Amino acid sequence: MKGRIAGPRVSITGLGTYAPEKVVTNDDLSKLVETNDEWIRSRTGIRERRMAAPEEASSDLAIAASRDALANAGVDPAEIDLVIVATVTPDMLFPATAALVATALGMTNAAAYDLSAGCTGFVYALSQGYGSIASGVAKKVLVVGVDVLSRVVDWTDRSTLVLFGDGAGAVVLEQVESGGFLGFELGADGAGGESLWLPCSGSRLSEETERTLRMNGREVFKFATRIMISSAEAILDTCGKKVDDIDVYVPHQANVRIIDHAAERLGIPEEKVIVNADRYGNTSSGSIPLALGEAVTDGRLRPGALVLMTGMGAGLTWGSALIEWTIGMNGATE
Ligand code: UT7
């Protein structure tokens, strides 16, 4: 689905992020599997990633990020009408992690559900949050992207272990007078589902016995390098914008080689590209909001900036959102 927004203006009015304290370096992983820092850096650009403590689950990371997002927006938890948690590693299949987050933070008037769209989950959830506000059903929505992939990676598989990390980001969405989301482009291709999947995680019986992430890296790489470009081009075309109009590019942080390839092919200069995969690895649903947090901190995300976010991942799914950044205009701190 894709479309240029013609309805009410809705924007991100608060942002918060959280990454677990524990840092796992490439050298740490080289003690567990046959790999090395040089291979990981040259093939992925990743130097280190964060890992949740044994007592931490996705809801804990989500709660920390959400608390900061609410404070940043100056919104009371009771004002939130809807909580969407994008994740492929919920605390458990049910109850929804979103319900746990809502209750923990006192969002007593909120509906709450989880959304599963792989690493594209956060972009999907933004579009859902936008729709709820634009339709008038909700006034304030909390969208969280969180994953604790360290719980589902195969700690003996060097080809996947080195890629992933744990992290969360949350945003508050509200109606604004101008700026905000300009459009969304979202897609899915279940035929590619077998390229990235988690056996033994649902109702489909399988001969697999381990509930650990499986990936055909080369297939996902091919998909990623194609879709990061086509999705960006589609959203720009839909919204009547050009590549040169983009001030900040926030791609899914899967692999720095994929990011560099997409930026180069699209013609987006390096200084506009947000990269934090080197320090966090691929945090799946947490990746784009964590990168947004980075861009706010380093001063690149300013009110008025045109921001392109593009995600891709399990499903296979993809999605882009174009937003004119407004944070700071609603009493939220910059
Ligand atoms: O959010 C979306 C999720 N996933 C992605 O976006 C991942 C997309 N794919 C990729 O980023 C890349 O395909 C990888 C980084 C996963 C792999 O890079 P590659 O350049 O495609 O490597 P490869 O799979 O072709 O493997 C090359 C060699 C193989 O050895 P042989 O068969 O050539 O002897 C692998 O066994 O590298 C070996 N290898 C490793 N060596 C050292 C695979 N993993 C490692 C490792 N350390 N960690």
Side-chain angles (χ1 to χ4, degrees), residues 90-307:
D91 287 21
M92 51 198 96
L93 262 182
F94 56 89
T97 297
L100 303 177
V101 172
T103 294
L105 292 178
M107 294 183 251
T108 46
N109 298 307
Y113 67 89
D114 292 353
L115 186 157
S116 170
C119 304
T120 321
F122 182 74
V123 180
Y124 267 55
L126 288 178
S127 83
Q128 298 275 293
Y130 167 80
S132 298
I133 294 173
S135 67
V137 174
K139 283 199 162 50
K140 295 177 203 282
V141 175
L142 180 76
V143 169
V144 186
V146 59
D147 270 306
V148 178
L149 286 170
S150 62
R151 289 283 139 72
V152 298
V153 289
D154 179 347
W155 283 81
T156 64
D157 176 12
R158 67 178 183 174
S159 68
T160 50
L161 175 63
V162 301
L163 303 174
F164 298 102
D166 303 335
V171 294
V172 174
L173 305 184
E174 294 177 76
Q175 201 166 329
V176 291
E177 277 171 21
S178 62
F181 291 107
L182 303 185
F184 294 96
E185 193 269 339
L186 307 172
D189 176 12
E194 61 189 17
S195 297
L196 183 48
W197 64 300
L198 188 62
C200 309
S201 60
S203 60
R204 175 68 63 199
L205 297 178
S206 108
E207 284 169 11
E208 305 277 349
T209 51
E210 302 267 330
R211 187 172 158 274
T212 49
L213 183 152
R214 307 291 162 83
M215 184 176 73
N216 181 334
R218 284 182 198 183
E219 281 306 311
V220 180
F221 193 89
K222 274 193 267 173
F223 163 75
T225 46
R226 176 173 56 81
I227 210 75
M228 293 293 288
I229 295 153
S230 59
S231 179
E233 286 174 346
I235 187 82
L236 287 171
D237 185 52
T238 300
C239 295
K241 296 287 182 187
K242 298 193 170 54
V243 167
D244 289 348
D245 297 328
I246 298 168
D247 296 305
V248 184
Y249 176 42
V250 187
H252 170 46
Q253 305 287 312
N255 179 329
V256 177
R257 276 164 63 211
I258 296 173
I259 296 172
D260 287 349
H261 175 267
E264 194 186 315
R265 288 285 295 278
L266 287 165
I268 303 174
E270 205 179 318
E271 64 272 16
K272 293 183 175 179
V273 184
I274 308 299
V275 178
N276 67 5
D278 53 329
R279 281 152 292 135
Y280 296 100
N282 179 351
T283 55
S284 188
S285 311
S287 152
I288 288 181
L290 264 180
L292 283 175
E294 175 115 355
V296 170
T297 308
D298 74 16
R300 278 187 279 180
L301 265 184
R302 299 219 179 103
L306 187 69
V307 183

Side-chain angles (χ1 to χ4, degrees), residues 10-16 68-74 170-174 176 178-180 292-293 295-297 300-305 307 323-334:
V10 173
S11 193
I12 291 172
T13 60
L15 172 69
D68 283 357
L70 291 165
N72 186 221
V171 294
V172 174
L173 305 184
E174 294 177 76
V176 291
S178 62
L292 283 175
V296 170
T297 308
R300 278 187 279 180
L301 265 184
R302 299 219 179 103
V307 183
I323 180 171
E324 196 183 303
W325 199 250
T326 53
I327 204 164
M329 290 171 74
N330 286 352
T333 52
E334 260 182 79

